[in-house]
Amino acid sequence: MKTINIIGYGNVGYHLVNTLLSVKEYTILNIYSRTPVTSNTVDISLFVNDLSQLQRADLTIIAVTDSAIEKISSLLPYTDELVVHTSGSFSLDGLNDKNRKGVFYPLQTFSKTKAIDFSNVPICLETKTTNDYQSLEKLGHTLSQTVVSLNSEQRKHLHLTAVFVSNFVNHMFTIGKEIADENNIPFHIFYPLIEETVAKIKTLEPKNAQTGPAIRADYTTIEQHLLKINNDNYKNIYKLLTNSIIQNGKKL
Amino acid sequence: MKTINIIGYGNVGYHLVNTLLSVKEYTILNIYSRTPVTSNTVDISLFVNDLSQLQRADLTIIAVTDSAIEKISSLLPYTDELVVHTSGSFSLDGLNDKNRKGVFYPLQTFSKTKAIDFSNVPICLETKTTNDYQSLEKLGHTLSQTVVSLNSEQRKHLHLTAVFVSNFVNHMFTIGKEIADENNIPFHIFYPLIEETVAKIKTLEPKNAQTGPAIRADYTTIEQHLLKINNDNYKNIYKLLTNSIIQNGKKL
């Protein structure tokens, strides 16, 4: 496996392309992007905006939104090659039958404006055959220290877990930053607290690391906090999470 | 200001004592603990379990649960010394009038079983007089790089923010770990994702760093996730946070 096509130039595709360009064992033949692309780092002649223009590649990595994976896999202008998607929730079987199927799911949060060190990104693989697994595993280890085999069912639970520990955590940061900004409190003074919150779960079970008014059942503070939240959405979030922490505390 | 009493030997008191013992400029006279204490690091003769046994100290740090601060401050067997509490939400004025009042609030999450490097912990101060502020500031800088002045109103908002960015974040980790454990997914493979989620907000506004099915309005994945959550509490949390992210996304 030497040649690779990347389909999609969103957050995942962008970082995959920019990482693979520095790996000499593999060659990117084409990058498909629906919309025109300008790039200082990528040879612009690699880009195509019509799937029929793709050259045949040993591996095709489809890094597009879940709802488009099936259709795009059916429109590839070649057969009998290895075609993988990069989604945490889309199944292996949803890929079109005309090519060999696989999943190459990097467990990370990607934003175009923030560089990523792929060597720290666990890559979750699924294939139909041992041969294809070994090919993907080799690519995976070229990019990352951590390559794991997960079936479609496990990957969906992994993705669900990632929503809680990353997407929802980021939303907590969004709400916290809003409150801090409104009260002229510099947000950077929370960084040590946030970093310690993360560091703790490496040595303690998260449920045993819980601190704050909810786990202490400190209803005076909880009531005071609720009075200070103006946004109804955020107030409901405060109530629901506080109750959930109190419920979990009772089980300890 | 040379001598210090520590009232309370819970999470905050414990770490304050163990840090202050290594600072030669200050001497701990007594530590009050309601319950008997065993310690390998602290001279056991310092401990008292009756407030009337406390020796007069230049500074008394009350590190107990909010609801006990007022009463304990009224029972101190001396007057006209500086007495501070360590609470994020209790006001300055709630301290008894017989001593000079202050707040010494370390913005961090403390668990007895996890060591703390105080030099990274922002310390938030409030006093009635400039003299007392300078005394606390000197102690603060002895322990930490970051000392800030906050009034009681700002401190309450700071504490509310801390609940979102630390306590609620830890609850997201608790839920995530439960789901991962149930599906035999090793939780450590989420660490790089979690660390990147935190690293991102130092260079991007959290609301602009949001990724995942909610911000993409990917209702297919959202529906699949909801089907996979057995715990009703967690299902409600998933729904509410997803809706909140979608609402915020519309404002961008």
Side-chain angles (χ1 to χ4, degrees), chain B residues 16-247:
Chain B
L16 269 178
V17 166
N18 282 279
T19 302
L20 282 169
L21 283 174
S22 65
V23 178
K24 64 177 186 313
E25 294 94 326
Y26 298 95
T27 306
I28 295 179
L29 291 185
N30 290 132
I31 304 157
Y32 168 81
S33 171
R34 260 186 322 180
T35 51
V37 171
T38 55
S39 175
N40 296 322
T41 51
V42 185
D43 175 1
I44 206 79
S45 72
L46 299 184
F47 286 94
V48 302
N49 63 5
D50 186 330
L51 291 168
S52 68
Q53 298 170 326
L54 291 169
Q55 302 170 73
R56 173 181 291 267
D58 301 331
L59 173 67
T60 302
I61 302 178
I62 302 181
V64 302
T65 188
D66 286 9
S67 59
I69 294 173
E70 187 169 4
K71 181 154 188 210
I72 283 184
S73 71
S74 74
L75 294 175
L76 294 175
Y78 40 79
T79 61
D80 302 314
E81 300 293 351
L82 180 56
V83 173
V84 303
H85 69 68
T86 60
S87 162
S89 31
F90 197 76
S91 72
L92 177 72
D93 290 325
L95 289 163
N96 190 279
D97 288 328
K98 71 183 181 182
N99 283 291
R100 301 193 318 279
K101 305 174 185 191
V103 178
F104 189 90
Y105 171 51
L107 177 60
Q108 190 50 282
T109 168
F110 296 96
S111 297
K112 276 195 185 176
T113 48
K114 171 90 173 57
I116 281 281
D117 175 5
F118 250 93
S119 66
N120 280 323
V121 179
I123 295 178
C124 307
L125 303 183
E126 185 180 4
T127 58
K128 293 275 192 188
T129 71
T130 309
N131 262 355
D132 285 340
Y133 189 86
Q134 285 167 346
S135 301
L136 286 186
E137 193 178 30
K138 196 177 156 205
L139 172 64
H141 277 306
T142 308
L143 303 178
S144 168
Q145 303 157 28
T146 311
V147 178
V148 292
S149 167
L150 290 181
N151 63 37
S152 288
E153 198 54 28
Q154 282 179 306
R155 192 176 59 257
K156 283 176 188 173
H157 281 106
L158 177 116
H159 188 238
L160 172 61
T161 304
V163 168
F164 278 97
V165 304
S166 173
N167 301 154
F168 289 168
V169 163
N170 184 72
H171 193 51
M172 297 299 112
F173 296 154
T174 301
I175 297 172
K177 177 123 199 314
E178 267 186 44
I179 298 169
D181 285 353
E182 281 165 14
N183 293 282
N184 299 314
I185 302 164
F187 194 60
H188 69 83
I189 73 169
F190 295 96
Y191 293 167
L193 172 66
I194 291 169
E195 279 157 8
E196 176 65 14
T197 305
V198 170
K200 261 183 167 184
I201 61 165
K202 296 187 179 175
T203 57
L204 294 175
E205 280 286 313
K207 66 171 183 282
N208 296 330
Q210 189 66 55
T211 58
I215 195 70
R216 292 196 306 268
D218 174 356
Y219 293 104
T220 310
T221 299
I222 291 167
E223 285 304 318
Q224 282 182 2
H225 281 171
L226 286 170
L227 289 173
K228 293 205 176 298
I229 305 175
N230 303 317
N231 180 313
D232 282 343
N233 235 352
Y234 298 168
K235 197 176 285 209
N236 288 333
I237 290 171
Y238 187 100
K239 282 183 198 167
L240 190 60
L241 293 180
T242 293
N243 283 332
S244 182
I245 292 171
I246 293 172
Q247 292 306 316

Side-chain angles (χ1 to χ4, degrees), chain A residues 166-184:
Chain A
S166 172
N167 302 154
F168 289 169
V169 163
N170 184 72
H171 192 52
M172 298 298 113
F173 296 153
T174 301
I175 297 172
K177 177 123 198 315
E178 267 186 43
I179 298 169
D181 285 351
E182 281 164 14
N183 294 280
N184 298 313

Side-chain angles (χ1 to χ4, degrees), chain A residues 105-219:
Chain A
Y105 171 52
L107 177 59
Q108 190 49 281
T109 168
F110 296 95
S111 298
K112 276 195 183 175
T113 48
K114 171 92 173 56
I116 280 282
D117 175 6
F118 249 93
S119 66
N120 280 322
V121 178
I123 294 177
C124 308
L125 302 183
E126 184 180 4
T127 57
K128 292 274 191 189
T129 72
T130 309
N131 263 355
D132 285 339
Y133 188 85
Q134 287 166 345
S135 302
L136 285 187
E137 193 178 31
K138 197 178 155 204
L139 173 64
H141 277 306
T142 308
L143 303 179
S144 169
Q145 302 157 28
T146 311
V147 178
V148 293
S149 166
L150 291 181
N151 63 38
S152 289
E153 198 56 29
Q154 282 179 307
R155 192 176 59 256
K156 284 176 188 173
H157 281 104
L158 176 118
H159 188 237
L160 172 62
T161 304
V163 168
F164 277 98
V165 305
S166 172
N167 302 154
F168 289 169
V169 163
N170 184 72
H171 192 52
M172 298 298 113
F173 296 153
T174 301
I175 297 172
K177 177 123 198 315
E178 267 186 43
I179 298 169
D181 285 351
E182 281 164 14
N183 294 280
N184 298 313
I185 302 163
F187 195 61
H188 71 83
I189 74 170
F190 295 96
Y191 293 167
L193 172 66
I194 291 169
E195 278 156 10
E196 177 64 15
T197 305
V198 170
K200 261 184 167 180
I201 61 166
K202 296 188 178 175
T203 57
L204 294 174
E205 280 285 314
K207 66 171 183 281
N208 296 331
Q210 189 66 53
T211 59
I215 195 72
R216 292 195 308 269
D218 174 356
Y219 293 104

